[in-house]
Amino acid sequence: MPRLPALLLIAFALALLPPRVALAQVRQCTAADGSRLYTDRKCEDLGASEFHAPPAASTGSTAGRRMTCARSVQDLAYALESAAGSGDANRIAALYDWAGMGSSTANRIMDRLQAAAARATVGVQTTQAGASADAPNAGGQLIGLRLEQVDANGHTPAHINFGIRRRMGCLWVHL
């Protein structure tokens, strides 16, 4: 019987110890073909090199902040240009209106956003109803944003036309 209080005391003391947490570091790597890999192993073990994001172009107190809600078309256009210029498809995806979308459609859109993130960004223009490909601002009502880019060869122009939606007080892009 005297052993029971001692065992209870030990069990209570062990319960007060902080839990052991396994920490894993997720590494972002660039494979030889240019694709990105995410792993808990060293990039070199996979024949890849560690991915280094390009430095932020802006300076000042807002350089590290990300917009959470575009309240104006100008804010959305700036955020889209910044996200595409960063080469990170997830930053572009953060501006996308995913509401009510199925997983197969979301995967197709994410593939398009990844392709856009891989291209060099020239700029973002607003598009208006009745506009042509050569003059996206020569129409009437504002209907979207046009992401102007250059393909990997550095010469061939590419673009993606995004529509704009307002949801919950914020502006979002959609394809």
Side-chain angles (χ1 to χ4, degrees):
M1 263 330 208
R3 292 171 78 182
L4 185 58
L7 288 175
L8 286 174
L9 184 61
I10 291 173
F12 181 71
L14 288 174
L16 292 177
L17 291 175
R20 292 183 61 192
V21 177
L23 297 177
Q25 179 181 6
V26 177
R27 292 181 174 87
Q28 186 176 0
C29 309
T30 304
D33 65 356
S35 63
R36 293 201 188 137
L37 304 170
Y38 297 90
T39 182
D40 59 345
R41 297 173 25 198
K42 291 183 179 178
C43 295
E44 296 79 26
D45 294 347
L46 302 172
S49 60
E50 190 168 334
F51 173 77
H52 297 286
S58 62
T59 60
S61 62
T62 61
R65 287 193 324 207
R66 287 196 182 152
M67 180 183 53
T68 57
C69 177
R71 303 275 183 198
S72 69
V73 174
Q74 292 80 11
D75 287 346
L76 185 61
Y78 174 77
L80 180 60
E81 185 172 358
S82 176
S86 74
D88 185 358
N90 291 318
R91 284 189 59 195
I92 302 171
L95 304 171
Y96 199 89
D97 182 17
W98 297 100
M101 189 174 299
S103 61
S104 63
T105 303
N107 284 326
R108 282 194 307 273
I109 289 173
M110 198 63 202
D111 289 342
R112 288 184 68 187
L113 298 182
Q114 184 67 44
R119 291 190 292 261
T121 298
V122 175
V124 173
Q125 295 181 339
T126 58
T127 56
Q128 297 171 341
S132 68
D134 295 327
N137 293 324
Q141 180 183 0
L142 176 70
I143 58 169
L145 296 174
R146 180 178 169 124
L147 177 61
E148 299 286 348
Q149 297 183 298
V150 179
D151 277 337
N153 65 14
H155 303 290
T156 307
H159 67 270
I160 299 176
N161 288 314
F162 290 96
I164 299 174
R165 289 186 184 144
R166 183 172 296 277
R167 183 179 309 280
M168 307 217 22
C170 298
L171 293 174
W172 306 95
V173 295
H174 66 92
L175 292 172

